[in-house]
Amino acid sequence: MAKLILRRLFGTLPVLLGVSFVVFVALQLVPGDVARTILGYNATEERVAALRAILGLDRPILVQYVTWLGNLARGDLGQSVALGVPVLTVILDKIGASLILMGASFALVLVFGLLLAALSGGHHRSPLDRMIVLLTLVFASVPPFWLGIVLLYLFGLQFRLFPISGMYDMANPGGLPDLLRHLVLPAVTTAVSSLAVVARVTRGRMIDVMNQPYIMTAKARGLSRPRIVYVEAVRNVLPTYVGISGLQIGYLFGSAIFSEIVFNWPGIGLQLYQAIIQRDFPVVQGAVLAIAAVFVFGNLIADLIAAALDPKRAT
Amino acid sequence: MTYDPSGRGATRSAAENQIKAGQLSTSGAPDDRLLDISGLTVDFRTRRGISRAVNDVALSVRRGEILGLVGESGSGKSITALSVLGLVPAPGRIVAGQIVFDRRNLLQLPEAEIAKLRGRRIGYISQSPRAALNPSFRIREQMDVTLRACAPELDAAGRADKARSLLEQLGFADPERVAAAFPHQLSGGMCQRICIAMALAGSPDLLIADEPTTALDVAVQAQILALLHELNRKLGLAILIVSHDLALIRAIAHRIVVLYGGEVQETGDVGTVLAAPRHPYTGALLQSVPDPDHPSARLAFIPGFPEPVPPDADGCRFAPRCGFAFAPCLSQRPILRLVEDGVRARCHLLDPGMATP
């Protein structure tokens, strides 16, 4: 187990390096110029060129990347061009809100993903199973930016059940209950498609497990139907379920960016969106790296849990 | 046509001698039927039509008796056995018949009542002992859950005691170590003994053993057979043993039922039937058992292979592969007729009214 952890930990390094490099290069393709954005369109070419030299933008891309990497190794992610503060400060400031949103969405994915999978896969071809299959098909196909607007309109504006924007009430912030009320719609928006994917993949494995000989013999031994489905079978889908759930962390971040924009959630996704609009490349670079790190480590943890859940690999 | 079955049998030397040391009460058992199946018919509805896996099967297991159910793959023997437990796999469905267990027709009982019989009155062991154990739970947990279902009167300590004594009864010298293991850490033979221990957890009257030794090596086969025989003798446990292995059935069973194409072809006292098979299929099966005295001899086999049977098929199921088939075999379905004391066979050759070729 310790060997596995070490090996996987080393495996994450090239992934993060690769992500940072791809993003660095991709940003060069984005039209527009940071120096021009900062100085405005009335600035002279000479002044723009001077600022480019100060920011190091006139040097070759590879040199810029290696410089950035060297600074990263010292914990320096650079300065935000638009905000004038260190990128690290911006990220640390925003990632908390994002992790709260992610945590809530991930909890929804975990709880309802397994619940729907057990209810449908454990009763293959029952009316309930067919209903869940249809429901998850719809869920998996719903884009979060569309769902967010629909939920916002229905439950925020029409029924006025939930606030439509932000993390706390502006006028009188009310601690945890207030946070939870603000959290419902963005968390549901973020979770829905990942939840459906987890439910469907886990259901497939559940059907497979329900056809295993040990389920048949469990019936022959007189075990009750609920015990067989919800304990004997569900225990054996857990490795698959944990694995697919870990993979969803990345998709959740993608969805979270949209729901942060729709619901004005002050997280790293909203910050990333604003940074892209403003051509604030150091922030974009830092935010993407932070997201990639959460994704990679989330997956690592999921893989280790999945391994621990399999008696053949754990012992 | 008579066949000489003496001296034949793959596991005879190891298993049979060991077991036959006990006694075989082959006849004279009181007509006390624990399980009585009649007219059992099971259809599998597939996209290509209906296939009849079991057709009008009748058999009975008396208290304290071992009945051997023999046939090749697809003969309907496992489906017949699973019917008793109400566990015929989809898309199979019991379309006709009666399964009377202890004077109650199981096919008329609600599912909840049948579920109560499983484990408590009827035990089951399968042909793949390791796959029959849940890979994610320790043996201790699996036995505990089984005992909780089969012996609800026991408390946690009582279940632990009972599990230990069951494992000891099944020949485990160190029950604690076995109980702490996961199935993948145990051998196939150990897994099968654990499965038997669990099948005995509810002190059943009947044990259904579906090819219990197929996945095991020969030495372990003999051990498991000896164990089943001992359970039969000591506890009076009735056993319905399903196998394709005639030598095994000869070694352990009191009576035999030979299935082909989902129909009973021959049935009777195991010694009488195998000493002089009346049905050509039984005879052909016996000839395809390897002979340990002549290991280099070419093994006889039955040409062709069993074909799926439509529900309305005429004639004898075995006719297309039978060396003795004549005209009526293809058009008329033979009846299961009483040939001599206790032996019945389904063959036109045994009909004195038919012109024999």
Side-chain angles (χ1 to χ4, degrees), chain A residues 46-278:
Chain A
E46 289 73 32
R47 289 201 53 196
V48 171
L51 185 57
R52 285 180 62 85
I54 293 168
L55 293 173
L57 297 174
D58 55 344
R59 290 184 290 166
I61 295 169
L62 212 57
V63 175
Q64 288 185 46
Y65 177 68
V66 172
T67 311
W68 179 81
L69 215 54
N71 291 337
L72 175 67
R74 292 193 302 264
D76 178 12
L77 284 166
Q79 290 280 121
S80 163
V81 176
L83 303 170
V85 292
V87 170
L88 196 63
T89 314
V90 177
I91 290 172
L92 289 180
D93 198 30
K94 300 288 181 177
I95 202 152
S98 277
L99 287 179
I100 289 174
L101 177 58
M102 288 284 300
S105 320
F106 199 48
L108 287 175
V109 169
L110 290 178
V111 171
F112 288 98
L114 188 61
L115 189 68
L116 292 179
L119 285 175
S120 58
H123 309 271
H124 192 197
R125 297 208 176 96
S126 67
L128 183 67
D129 177 33
R130 286 174 209 277
M131 223 178 68
I132 291 173
V133 167
L134 190 71
L135 188 77
T136 50
L137 179 67
V138 173
F139 277 6
S141 330
V142 168
F145 47 85
W146 179 85
L147 181 69
I149 292 167
V150 169
L151 290 182
L152 187 149
Y153 176 75
L154 282 180
F155 297 101
L157 296 178
Q158 288 296 315
F159 303 129
R160 296 190 172 277
L161 288 174
F162 298 105
I164 57 165
S165 162
M167 209 169 152
Y168 292 100
D169 199 293
M170 290 291 209
N172 47 351
L176 189 63
D178 189 27
L179 172 64
L180 289 178
R181 258 165 32 84
H182 280 80
L183 196 52
V184 172
L185 293 184
V188 169
T189 304
T190 310
V192 157
S193 65
S194 290
L195 183 159
V197 171
V198 169
R200 287 177 78 90
V201 172
T202 311
R203 169 183 174 271
R205 174 67 185 141
M206 186 78 186
I207 291 168
D208 188 35
V209 166
M210 286 299 290
N211 285 321
Q212 294 295 314
Y214 54 80
I215 295 298
M216 218 281 283
T217 29
K219 288 180 196 165
R221 281 179 201 134
L223 270 57
S224 70
R225 173 103 195 151
R227 163 86 202 182
I228 289 172
V229 174
Y230 300 109
V231 181
E232 303 283 317
V234 164
R235 173 63 183 80
N236 285 285
V237 304
L238 290 185
T240 304
Y241 158 74
V242 169
I244 187 69
S245 297
L247 275 181
Q248 293 307 310
I249 294 172
Y251 294 95
L252 279 178
F253 254 119
S255 305
I257 293 175
F258 291 114
S259 32
E260 285 182 11
I261 295 166
V262 171
F263 293 98
N264 201 30
W265 188 267
I268 203 165
L270 188 60
Q271 183 61 56
L272 181 62
Y273 170 72
Q274 285 162 354
I276 292 171
I277 301 266
Q278 294 165 342

Side-chain angles (χ1 to χ4, degrees), chain B residues 144-158:
Chain B
D144 190 65
V145 175
T146 306
L147 281 164
R148 212 180 297 169
C150 299
E153 71 280 0
L154 294 176
D155 61 359

Side-chain angles (χ1 to χ4, degrees), chain B residues 50-63:
Chain B
I50 299 171
S51 148
R52 181 150 288 179
V54 175
N55 188 24
D56 193 22
V57 161
L59 60 85
S60 58
V61 183
R62 302 184 184 116
R63 286 180 199 278

